[in-house]
Amino acid sequence: SGINAEWPLRPGNNSEEDEHLDRLFAVISGTRFEVDNEKLWVRISRGDSSWTSALYSRVSCLASDQSSLVLCCRDGSLHVMDSLGNHLLPIINIGSGILKCAIAEHFAAVVTDVPSVYVWDVKGRRCKLKNESLASFITSRRVITQLQINKEGAVVVEFNDLTSCYYDYCLASWMILGRAGDVDDLWFKELGRNTKQDTKLAVLHKMIQSENGASRGAPDCAQTLRTVLLMEQQILICRHLNSVEEGRRWLMSLLRFLVSKSEEDRLRRFLQSVITNINDEMFGISGTEVIKDALKLISTNINLQRVYVEFKQQIEWLENRK
């Protein structure tokens, strides 16, 4: 995905004091930017080529990937160029200040100071997402830290409390990927195991830039509930994305977590729901196989033997009926 940077930026210096400097420099994805915010021009160098372009306003942020770049100004104007300095779109103005931007191949995205998100399909010359609000996510303690977009146009926003979300175009709404900062340490282990491959949900998780550290403080009931909620959300997203392989992994992750916490009631409700709809498949697995896989995990916890015996008898009875 495109790498983005916000001013102030200078080599080796990223302090608040630089905000008032008129000459600013940055190197992103092999592209060197030199901005004169007093005379309102930018010089861009890439390989053996370089060019200079005038600006309508002071630069607020910029982003670049291997083939294109986006440069945003404080008056809301937006420049999208190729690697030779040719504008890929007319210079547009979205009517709001731009805080962050990102670009990947022919998709560009910005976060405004409203705050809201825009996404453009540069190749198709159309706006893919217009003024989609992030206001409900913002509090006095939560601010936007990262904006990322990939070559399919999937846009991910991350906040300083490690909450992350992506916009689902089919549901026309933000979908929570997770809030990693206040969940059980085991979730991080499962997250690492389940995001190694380039599958649909894993790709979204890999777009998140922060290094999500382990949770702070001793585990408690609320932390367990939040962990379960996050894992269930991953399963729901996999179902929505029709990502069968990932759905299986997250389903087993949830079951392992519930077994490790001796969550007897939750396990019983899950198994009963599968038994009730035994002819339905879950991520390509028959209900019978889901029950058997769950029972293998449950058998490892002596505190869950009542659940194990109860549902082992039920599944044997169902198989004998067949």
Side-chain angles (χ1 to χ4, degrees):
S1 60
I3 301 173
N4 72 75
E6 294 76 44
W7 302 116
L9 274 180
R10 289 175 65 85
N13 194 345
N14 192 16
S15 67
E16 294 295 331
E17 298 174 354
D18 284 342
E19 186 175 6
H20 307 292
L21 293 177
D22 292 321
R23 296 292 294 274
L24 303 166
F25 305 86
V27 178
I28 306 174
S29 297
T31 302
R32 185 179 188 273
F33 297 86
E34 178 184 353
V35 175
D36 190 318
N37 268 334
E38 181 181 14
K39 298 180 179 179
L40 297 182
W41 57 258
V42 57
R43 180 175 292 116
I44 303 171
S45 304
R46 184 174 233 161
D48 296 330
S49 62
S50 65
W51 66 93
T52 303
S53 178
L55 303 170
Y56 287 131
S57 177
R58 298 172 70 90
V59 170
S60 60
C61 59
L62 53 85
S64 174
D65 68 1
Q66 298 303 316
S67 60
S68 52
L69 60 95
V70 58
L71 189 148
C72 305
C73 299
R74 294 184 183 178
D75 67 347
S77 59
L78 190 80
H79 302 250
V80 183
M81 307 178 192
D82 64 16
S83 59
L84 298 176
N86 301 307
H87 278 80
L88 300 175
L89 290 176
I91 300 170
I92 57 178
N93 193 304
I94 58 177
S96 300
I98 300 173
L99 300 178
K100 296 182 181 296
C101 59
I103 193 164
E105 294 194 3
H106 59 272
F107 286 103
V110 301
V111 173
T112 71
D113 56 11
V114 173
S116 61
V117 174
Y118 285 77
V119 176
W120 292 274
D121 177 353
V122 178
K123 186 177 181 180
R125 294 178 175 270
R126 66 185 183 93
C127 182
K128 189 175 176 67
L129 183 65
K130 179 182 178 181
N131 201 27
E132 188 64 35
S133 177
L134 287 168
S136 63
F137 290 95
I138 304 301
T139 67
S140 59
R141 296 184 178 182
R142 180 192 284 168
V143 296
I144 300 167
T145 57
Q146 292 287 345
L147 170 69
Q148 294 292 319
I149 193 165
N150 67 10
K151 61 184 180 180
E152 282 78 38
V155 61
V156 172
V157 178
E158 187 179 3
F159 303 87
N160 60 326
D161 64 352
L162 303 185
T163 298
S164 55
C165 61
Y166 89 98
Y167 190 82
D168 188 278
Y169 296 102
C170 293
L171 297 178
S173 57
W174 293 103
M175 191 173 291
I176 304 296
L177 285 175
R179 180 179 175 182
D182 57 0
V183 297
D184 191 278
D185 290 352
L186 182 59
W187 188 83
F188 293 98
K189 298 176 184 178
E190 296 294 343
L191 178 64
R193 280 194 287 265
N194 292 347
T195 56
K196 287 182 179 179
Q197 300 182 14
D198 289 331
T199 42
K200 295 179 181 178
L201 179 57
V203 167
L204 296 174
H205 276 291
K206 288 176 182 178
M207 289 170 65
I208 300 171
Q209 292 295 294
S210 70
E211 296 180 3
N212 293 335
S215 55
R216 295 182 294 274
D220 56 20
C221 179
Q223 189 181 80
T224 297
L225 292 174
R226 290 191 293 265
T227 304
V228 171
L229 177 64
L230 280 170
M231 287 190 170
E232 289 177 341
Q233 175 72 344
Q234 310 311 304
I235 294 170
L236 291 170
I237 294 175
C238 289
R239 183 180 298 165
H240 174 68
L241 297 176
N242 196 28
S243 184
V244 174
E245 181 183 347
E246 285 182 299
R248 292 174 186 169
R249 289 203 299 270
W250 280 108
L251 177 61
M252 297 310 295
S253 295
L254 176 61
L255 291 174
R256 282 195 296 270
F257 183 79
L258 295 177
V259 169
S260 72
K261 297 297 181 181
S262 299
E263 289 282 334
E264 183 174 336
D265 291 340
R266 286 183 180 275
L267 286 165
R268 179 176 278 107
R269 286 198 299 272
F270 170 78
L271 293 171
Q272 189 58 55
S273 68
V274 177
I275 287 284
T276 302
N277 304 282
I278 196 67
N279 294 322
D280 296 342
E281 290 188 347
M282 296 185 68
F283 300 109
I285 310 173
S286 68
T288 301
E289 291 303 313
V290 171
I291 294 289
K292 289 181 177 179
D293 288 343
L295 290 176
K296 288 178 183 177
L297 295 172
I298 293 171
S299 67
T300 63
N301 188 331
I302 194 171
N303 297 318
L304 298 172
Q305 293 311 298
R306 286 183 300 180
V307 177
Y308 176 80
V309 173
E310 176 184 343
F311 285 93
K312 188 172 188 301
Q313 291 175 345
Q314 288 192 50
I315 200 68
E316 288 176 347
W317 181 78
L318 288 172
E319 288 184 325
N320 289 334
R321 280 185 60 190
K322 295 179 180 179

